[in-house]
Amino acid sequence: MNIRQTHGPLLSRLLPDDDPDGLTVRQGQFHTVVVGSDRVVCLPRTRAAAARLPGRAAALRLLAGLDLGFRTPEPLVQGGTHDADGGPFLVLTRIPGEPLRADALGDLRVAETVAAQYATLLGGLARAGDDGTVRAVLPRVPADRWRHFAEGVRAELFRLMSDSGRLRAERELAALDGLPHLTRAVVHGDLGTENVLWEWTHGLPHLAGVLDWDDVALGDPAEDLAAVGAGHGTGLLERVLALGGLPDHGLTTRIAAIRGTFALQQALYAVRDGDEGELADGLADYR
């Protein structure tokens, strides 16, 4: 049974100007996303994701009020677990644009344009971290975040891994030891290519907006830079770093350490949310 059947009345009410058969449905790690002509409906896939909806809406309202140089989704309507049509849900404005094509960076002009706009994006998030209102609303990444992460991986994922998989995971977790606790920048937390939307003008991409701010917090910009490198390759990451003019101070080491944990992070989120598909994908190289 598809989402149009299970949530038909709700979608008809929230997206009254759209043909139900013409709606685009996307399955994310935490939400099923139904895309209308000018609105997006987020339907949590698990109870844990549903519990995070109010915090997500509050963060999006804050981000919408900042001058970041790109658009973020704005909350319009939120429904709880007792909604008559079967909530919970969150309705957001739709941001135009599409993720960058995998082959787009083969054009050097495009690659330079994309790198420059990523540098601007990350610079805007760093400056937002100095805003008093932002610091009063957004959570800070806990000082013991990586220690708890490593404990969670060992307790919840090691039993699902092969012996060689556990050895690989231990090497990746060891790289996290000694990472400094930084909370000066706004960090998206999931800056994968699918969450960054672009529009094309005269053969070049323009950053239209950034989606999926579930994990936004005050933290280390190395986390977002690691996602850029994972999504677009080391060459583009190096250009972003050069254009951003960021002093290293161990930044490249932090990026490498965090990037090495992405599959484990996916698997740990998935096992806690009961998402078997994402769990299998995250553990594919550890079994």
Side-chain angles (χ1 to χ4, degrees):
M1 186 175 292
N2 62 42
I3 200 71
R4 296 178 184 85
Q5 295 172 312
T6 58
H7 291 72
L10 177 65
L11 295 176
S12 295
R13 177 164 64 85
L14 298 177
L15 303 172
D17 298 327
D18 292 286
D19 177 1
D21 293 329
L23 296 171
T24 299
V25 180
R26 296 171 181 160
Q27 295 289 345
Q29 182 173 358
F30 303 119
H31 304 91
T32 297
V33 179
V34 183
V35 183
S37 55
D38 61 356
R39 293 181 170 195
V40 173
V41 180
C42 297
L43 303 167
R45 298 179 63 186
T46 65
R47 290 182 179 178
R52 294 192 292 266
L53 279 184
R56 184 186 193 199
L60 288 174
R61 291 188 188 96
L62 174 68
L63 292 166
L66 301 177
D67 183 16
L68 294 174
F70 56 87
R71 295 176 62 186
T72 58
E74 297 182 38
L76 299 174
V77 185
Q78 183 178 343
T81 56
H82 300 296
D83 185 85
D85 290 330
F89 62 83
L90 182 62
V91 182
L92 306 172
T93 55
R94 178 183 177 180
I95 296 177
E98 296 292 337
L100 202 65
R101 300 188 308 271
D103 60 351
L105 297 180
D107 183 320
L108 293 181
R109 288 195 315 142
V110 170
E112 186 70 13
T113 299
V114 169
Q117 292 184 72
Y118 266 118
T120 299
L121 183 163
L122 293 164
L125 293 181
R127 288 189 297 275
D130 290 327
D131 185 299
T133 301
V134 172
R135 299 192 68 80
V137 173
L138 291 186
R140 288 164 175 76
V141 172
D144 56 0
R145 179 238 181 124
W146 293 119
R147 179 177 64 81
H148 281 300
F149 170 71
E151 290 173 352
V153 169
R154 294 185 180 104
E156 300 175 58
L157 297 180
F158 268 25
R159 60 185 174 80
L160 305 174
M161 298 179 183
S162 64
D163 290 342
S164 62
R166 284 189 286 273
L167 288 174
R168 171 178 174 163
E170 283 289 8
R171 290 193 297 270
E172 293 164 347
L173 295 175
L176 299 173
D177 292 341
L179 286 182
H181 181 228
L182 304 176
T183 61
R184 291 305 309 175
V186 174
V187 174
H188 180 280
D190 188 14
L191 204 60
T193 56
E194 71 281 358
N195 289 329
V196 184
L197 302 184
W198 305 81
E199 294 182 302
W200 290 75
T201 304
H202 305 301
L204 292 174
H206 171 73
L207 177 61
V210 180
L211 310 177
D212 196 357
W213 293 83
D214 283 12
D215 296 322
V216 65
L218 296 165
D220 185 351
E223 187 166 354
D224 284 344
L225 285 161
V228 172
H232 296 295
T234 301
L236 186 89
L237 172 61
E238 291 174 348
R239 189 61 185 142
V240 172
L241 290 170
L243 290 170
L246 299 172
D248 189 277
H249 298 316
L251 178 60
T252 54
T253 299
R254 302 199 313 272
I255 291 171
I258 294 169
R259 182 174 172 178
T261 68
F262 280 171
L264 292 175
Q265 289 189 50
Q266 175 182 327
L268 190 60
Y269 274 126
V271 77
R272 290 173 175 174
D273 278 351
D275 190 325
E276 292 296 332
E278 288 291 326
L279 176 62
D281 182 64
L283 288 182
D285 293 330
Y286 297 88
R287 286 177 158 165

